């Protein structure tokens, strides 16, 4: 159980401070009617809780928590430190963040703080202590919520305080200025430092900035915000050791290394907002959910999602009937132990007044309210899946340091090679086939998997390479891997660096493809399956990227056909390890062959647009299309949603779902 609340969690952000107190009783009554069992409270309430320095006004929050508890609703109680109050930033303007051009940002939005500011940190910890002192024993308290969506608006600050903090961080990492010069390669472009005190954050400069400095800056910014979280968590742990602590992640957010952050959390929680206007958005969403489940390898919690439209896209499309329910069930299918929303009651004012809510502007007469009631009923029917896990035979290796290095501006062979695109290239066909996937950080023990895919490992250390070699199973490594070490310096002898012996190849030259240009790849007959192109030989089409590869002791699985690379190896194999030196539009021939070799089977055979996922003894079937889908169940079972037994062939309506308790399993 993730919190003190049994079953699946249901609810959302509740902002009673935006409403007259006479509305609160109606809120609590309607929450209970809808089946809400947890509310996130006080996320942006610092200015109301501490209206003047050291003076607290807890009375209104006391009444809110008492009211929630009286209606059987638990609190995910925020420490309220996500946005400092006006008095703090007016008394201490130096606590506000500074951008790369040297402009200090103004108060009036949210996350208005420098992550390195000792003033912000001291006041945040003081408030967290006051909250824990006041509410640590309150019966409504189920979970602590620190900050909110770290790095959403403020990932970095370039002020003098941040510069001092960065220098301390660099000293801890590199030891002294000699270590820093060696790591950053400062002999290039005359950047040799004689003191770490000469180092500044990577502020706006005349030209491209040292890639080693940028990589360390990305690490530092993630760590600096993590220090803020951990400082508050330490107080909460001291005063309320049995209450779990979380902060809400943001799926595949580039700025924070969630592998490191998850180690500091008691439970992983995530905010996800798939675009209803994108018919394929559920695939990227599933990838992010599998990441959340993999971060601690146990159930997680969807802490924010949208009942319908959001308020921050250029076009904020609403969710058509059935989509709110379908998106919610997808989160459960991928390991969430609940579905929470932003927010409970739709706001009357502010930047999010047009963001949807469980209780819309139209009140209980609105379509959205009927959707809320239906989902509450569904979650009650699904309570038994809480705590169940997912067994995956396939792992995808992904690390934030490779993302940071790969996507550094103005220093790469191509800025079209994006790590999320590389991940989706391999994840999408696995998802379409109903194959469960874990994500794993570089260096993790992979011995429990039948197939491991590394879409890209640009930054590859000796330790990363040893972990892949120790795996010994069926391995697929994507392009531009093994290029640099932990300091973003090219490995001796070039790519694939420490993976050379494992893969049996050397990369002589990177060959990025201009926009609109493609490269044909001809697969050796019999090397992969299934399917052939006209003429009897399977072919793939690569975009964006190719490489001039020299074989050392590997077998050639495919060759480039046409163009400057004609006849050169494109895909190779040594033992169980395959190297794909290009970015194919469709990797299914390679993938299907690997799945067949390893005996990895889908959880169910489904038509396009239908998602099949197993969670413990439960099979989720989700139809993401608007058309009915005919499919054969792999086993008989009881559908927890319709409350009926199903067997054999069924028709699943458009935007409908089945959650099957498989007979003989639990």
């Amino acid at each position: 159980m993730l919190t003190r609340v049994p079953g699946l969690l249901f609810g959302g952000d509740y902002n009673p401070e935006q409403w007259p107190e006479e509305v609160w009783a109606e809120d609590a009554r309607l929450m209970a009617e809808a089946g809400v069992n947890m509310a996130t409270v006080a996320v942006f309430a610092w200015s109301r809780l501490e209206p003047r320095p050291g003076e607290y006004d807890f009375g209104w929050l006391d009444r809110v928590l008492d009211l929630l508890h009286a209606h059987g609703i638990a609190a995910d109680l925020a420490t309220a430190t996500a946005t400092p109050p006006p008095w703090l930033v007016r008394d201490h303007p130096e606590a506000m963040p500074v951008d790369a051009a040297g402009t200090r940002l103004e108060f009036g939005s949210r996350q208005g703080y420098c992550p390195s500011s000792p003033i912000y940190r001291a006041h945040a910890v003081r408030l967290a202590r006051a909250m824990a002192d006041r509410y640590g024993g309150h019966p409504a308290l189920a979970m602590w919520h620190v900050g909110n969506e770290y790095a959403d608006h403020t990932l970095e600050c370039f002020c003098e305080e941040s510069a001092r903090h960065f220098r301390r961080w660099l000293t801890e990492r590199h030891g002294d200025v000699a270590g820093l010069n060696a790591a950053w390669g400062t002999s290039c472009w005359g950047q040799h430092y004689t003191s770490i005190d000469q180092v500044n954050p990577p502020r706006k400069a005349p030209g491209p900035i040292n890639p080693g400095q940028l990589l360390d800056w990305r690490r530092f910014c993630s760590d600096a915000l993590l220090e803020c979280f951990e400082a508050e968590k330490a107080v909460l742990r001291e005063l309320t050791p049995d209450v779990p602590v979380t902060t809400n992640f943001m799926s595949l957010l580039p700025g924070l290394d969630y592998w490191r952050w998850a180690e500091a959390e008691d439970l992983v929680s995530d905010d996800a907002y798939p675009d209803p206007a994108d018919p394929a958005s559920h695939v990227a969403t599933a990838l992010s959910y599998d990441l959340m489940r993999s971060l601690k390898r146990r159930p997680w919690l969807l802490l924010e999602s949208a009942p319908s439209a959001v308020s921050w896209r250029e076009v904020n499309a609403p969710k058509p009937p059935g989509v709110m329910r379908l998106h919610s069930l997808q989160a459960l299918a991928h390991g969430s132990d609940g579905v929470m929303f932003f927010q409970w009651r739709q706001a009357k004012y502010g930047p999010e007044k047009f963001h949807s809510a469980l209780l819309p502007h139209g009140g209980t007469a609105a379509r959205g309210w009927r959707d809320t009631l239906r989902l509450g009923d569904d979650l009650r029917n699904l309570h038994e899946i809480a705590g169940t896990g997912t067994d995956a035979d396939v792992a995808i290796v992904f690390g934030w340091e490779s993302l940071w290095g790969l996507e550094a501006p103005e220093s790469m062979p191509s800025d079209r090679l994006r790590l999320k695109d590389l991940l989706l290239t391999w994840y999408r066909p696995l998802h379409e086939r109903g194959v469960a996937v874990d994500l794993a950080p570089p260096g993790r023990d992979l011995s429990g998997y039948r197939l491991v895919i590394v879409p890209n490992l640009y930054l590859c250390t000796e330790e990363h390479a040893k972990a892949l070699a120790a795996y010994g199973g069926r391995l697929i490594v994507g392009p531009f891997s093994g290029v640099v070490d932990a300091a973003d310096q090219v490995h001796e002898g070039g790519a694939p660096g420490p993976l050379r012996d494992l893969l049996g190849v050397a990369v002589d030259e990177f060959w990025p493809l201009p926009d609109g240009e493609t490269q044909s790849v001809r697969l050796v007959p019999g090397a992969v399956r299934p399917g052939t192109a006209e003429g009897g030989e399977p072919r793939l089409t690569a975009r964006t990227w190719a490489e001039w590869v020299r074989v050392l002791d590997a077998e050639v699985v495919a060759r480039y056909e046409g163009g400057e690379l004609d006849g050169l190896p494109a895909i190779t194999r040594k033992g169980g390890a395959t190297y794909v030196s290009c970015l194919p539009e469709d990797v299914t021939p390679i993938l299907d062959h690997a799945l067949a070799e390893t005996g990895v089977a889908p959880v169910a055979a489904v038509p396009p647009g239908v998602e099949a996922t197993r969670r413990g003894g439960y099979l989720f079937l989700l139809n993401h299309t608007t058309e009915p889908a005919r499919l054969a169940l792999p086993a008989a079972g009881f559908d927890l949603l319709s409350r009926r037994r199903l067997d054999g062939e069924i028709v699943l309506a458009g935007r409908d779902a089945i959650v099957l308790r498989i007979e003989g399993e639990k």
Side-chain angles (χ1 to χ4, degrees):
M1 188 183 302
L2 296 181
T3 70
R4 301 174 178 182
V5 183
L8 297 173
L9 299 172
F10 177 43
D13 281 54
Y14 181 41
N15 300 294
E17 64 271 26
Q18 296 180 13
W19 299 94
E21 190 159 346
E22 55 265 26
V23 176
W24 300 354
E26 180 187 34
D27 284 328
R29 178 181 62 80
L30 291 176
M31 285 183 192
E33 180 182 337
V36 166
N37 56 15
M38 190 163 80
T40 299
V41 184
V43 173
F44 297 110
W46 190 344
S47 62
R48 294 291 301 273
L49 292 168
E50 190 181 7
R52 285 164 293 280
E55 296 182 20
Y56 298 106
D57 178 10
F58 289 124
W60 67 272
L61 186 54
D62 292 346
R63 296 191 294 278
V64 168
L65 294 181
D66 290 345
L67 185 63
L68 291 175
H69 178 64
H71 286 78
I73 301 162
D76 165 33
L77 184 56
T79 56
T81 56
T83 295
W87 59 258
L88 193 154
V89 299
R90 292 297 177 241
D91 291 348
H92 302 282
E94 69 275 19
M96 288 293 286
V98 172
D99 68 15
T103 301
R104 190 173 298 278
L105 305 184
E106 181 51 270
F107 182 83
S109 183
R110 60 181 186 176
Q111 288 191 358
Y113 58 83
C114 163
S116 299
S117 169
I119 295 167
Y120 165 73
R121 291 188 180 197
H123 282 81
V125 168
R126 185 177 71 178
L127 179 58
R129 180 173 293 278
M131 294 287 283
D133 277 333
R134 183 80 174 191
Y135 299 113
H138 198 286
L141 178 62
M143 182 168 71
W144 286 113
H145 181 114
V146 176
N148 187 72
E149 295 184 336
Y150 280 103
D152 179 25
H153 298 291
T154 300
L155 166 63
E156 55 193 355
C157 174
F158 297 83
C159 72
E160 283 304 315
E161 189 62 56
S162 295
R164 289 188 286 270
H165 189 189
F166 186 38
R167 294 173 198 131
R168 293 193 299 271
W169 185 94
L170 290 171
T171 300
E172 291 177 6
R173 180 171 181 86
H174 299 295
D176 56 20
V177 71
L180 181 141
N181 281 321
W184 288 6
T186 55
S187 57
C188 179
W189 283 12
Q191 295 178 358
H192 186 82
Y193 296 98
T194 55
S195 169
I196 285 185
D197 290 337
Q198 298 164 357
V199 177
N200 272 329
R203 296 167 177 154
K204 190 172 182 179
I209 293 174
N210 186 314
Q213 181 181 7
L214 288 176
L215 178 58
D216 269 349
W217 178 249
R218 294 269 69 84
R219 290 170 172 142
F220 162 75
C221 290
S222 179
D223 286 354
L225 282 169
L226 181 55
E227 289 176 13
C228 294
F229 170 78
E230 290 183 315
E232 291 188 46
K233 181 189 173 185
V235 170
L236 302 175
R237 179 65 68 249
E238 173 193 343
L239 299 178
T240 57
D242 298 325
V243 181
V245 181
T246 192
T247 188
N248 41 341
F249 291 166
M250 299 182 69
S251 301
L252 280 162
L253 184 75
L256 303 182
D257 183 347
Y258 283 155
W259 295 114
R260 283 178 51 80
W261 276 69
E263 294 174 2
E265 283 198 313
D266 295 322
L267 89 104
V268 167
S269 61
D270 187 42
D271 296 354
Y273 292 96
D275 188 352
D278 178 3
S281 65
H282 63 280
V283 179
T285 303
L287 171 63
S288 67
Y289 289 166
D290 284 342
L291 171 63
M292 294 302 124
R293 189 192 67 244
S294 301
L295 287 172
K296 293 183 85 72
R297 291 188 273 190
R298 62 178 187 239
W300 55 284
L301 177 62
L302 179 60
L303 199 54
E304 279 189 32
S305 53
S308 189
V310 299
S311 59
W312 37 264
R313 293 190 174 103
E314 291 185 3
V315 177
N316 295 304
K319 291 184 177 180
V323 174
M324 169 195 176
R325 177 178 186 252
L326 195 64
H327 285 179
S328 299
L329 294 173
Q330 185 186 34
L332 300 178
H334 289 267
S336 177
D337 266 2
V339 183
M340 305 282 287
F341 292 88
F342 183 87
Q343 57 182 326
W344 161 251
R345 182 183 282 270
Q346 195 165 14
K348 287 183 64 176
Y349 48 77
E352 294 173 316
K353 60 181 176 290
F354 296 121
H355 195 293
S356 58
L358 292 172
L359 182 62
H361 286 147
T364 57
R367 170 184 76 92
W369 178 247
R370 294 192 295 274
D371 291 343
T372 296
L373 294 177
R374 183 186 187 191
L375 182 59
D377 287 339
D378 285 335
L379 294 175
R380 280 188 288 264
N381 289 334
L382 295 172
H383 72 276
E384 64 191 69
I385 73 168
T388 57
T390 299
D391 294 323
D393 290 323
V394 179
I396 291 178
V397 174
F398 161 70
W400 264 268
E401 290 190 330
S402 275
L403 184 154
W404 293 333
L406 182 67
E407 299 184 7
E410 301 181 1
S411 66
M412 307 302 286
S414 170
D415 65 2
R416 303 295 194 267
L417 203 61
R418 316 298 291 179
L419 189 47
K420 186 174 181 178
D421 294 339
L422 293 166
L423 290 171
L424 284 169
T425 295
W426 293 96
Y427 181 85
R428 183 177 289 106
L430 291 165
H431 177 267
E432 291 170 348
R433 283 156 177 72
V435 174
V437 176
D438 284 346
L439 281 87
R444 176 176 284 180
D445 177 15
L446 301 166
S447 58
Y449 299 103
R450 296 187 187 183
L451 172 64
V452 171
I453 300 170
V454 187
N456 170 267
L457 197 57
Y458 166 74
L459 190 154
C460 180
T461 67
E462 295 288 347
E463 291 72 22
H464 298 160
K466 287 177 182 176
L468 291 176
Y471 163 60
R474 190 70 177 88
L475 175 69
I476 299 174
V477 178
F480 206 43
S481 291
V483 180
V484 299
D485 61 14
D488 201 23
Q489 297 190 12
V490 175
H491 285 291
E492 188 73 26
L499 299 174
R500 187 176 295 110
D501 289 343
L502 175 63
L503 300 176
V505 298
V507 177
D508 275 1
E509 197 165 5
F510 305 122
W511 213 273
L513 304 177
D515 291 347
E517 184 175 313
T518 63
Q519 172 66 61
S520 181
V521 175
R522 178 176 51 83
L523 294 149
V524 174
V528 298
R529 62 176 236 182
T532 59
E534 185 179 349
E537 295 181 346
R539 284 174 170 80
L540 301 174
T541 299
R543 294 186 185 272
T544 306
W545 191 264
E547 293 173 355
W548 187 304
V549 172
R550 175 165 43 91
V551 169
L552 302 178
D553 56 352
E555 169 193 2
V556 177
V557 174
R559 294 184 182 277
Y560 291 112
E561 186 175 60
E564 300 295 339
L565 301 178
D566 185 49
L568 292 174
I571 304 174
T572 60
R573 178 167 177 174
K574 178 181 177 181
T578 294
Y579 183 59
V580 182
S581 70
C582 55
L583 188 58
E585 290 180 335
D586 181 10
V587 298
T588 54
I590 307 165
L591 187 59
D592 284 344
H593 185 62
L595 293 173
E597 276 189 312
T598 55
V600 175
V603 298
V606 292
V610 176
E611 178 177 357
T613 307
R614 277 285 296 265
R615 181 173 176 180
Y618 303 89
L619 173 65
F620 286 73
L621 297 170
L622 311 173
N623 186 355
H624 293 283
T625 77
T626 57
E627 300 299 322
R630 186 176 299 276
L631 53 98
L633 296 176
F638 181 76
D639 177 21
L640 299 179
L641 296 174
S642 66
R643 313 306 293 175
R644 59 194 177 98
R645 185 180 183 276
L646 299 176
D647 194 8
E649 189 173 84
I650 64 165
V651 175
L652 184 59
R655 293 176 179 156
D656 202 0
I658 288 171
V659 181
L660 202 68
R661 184 203 299 135
I662 299 173
E663 290 182 355
E665 297 191 31
K666 182 64 176 177

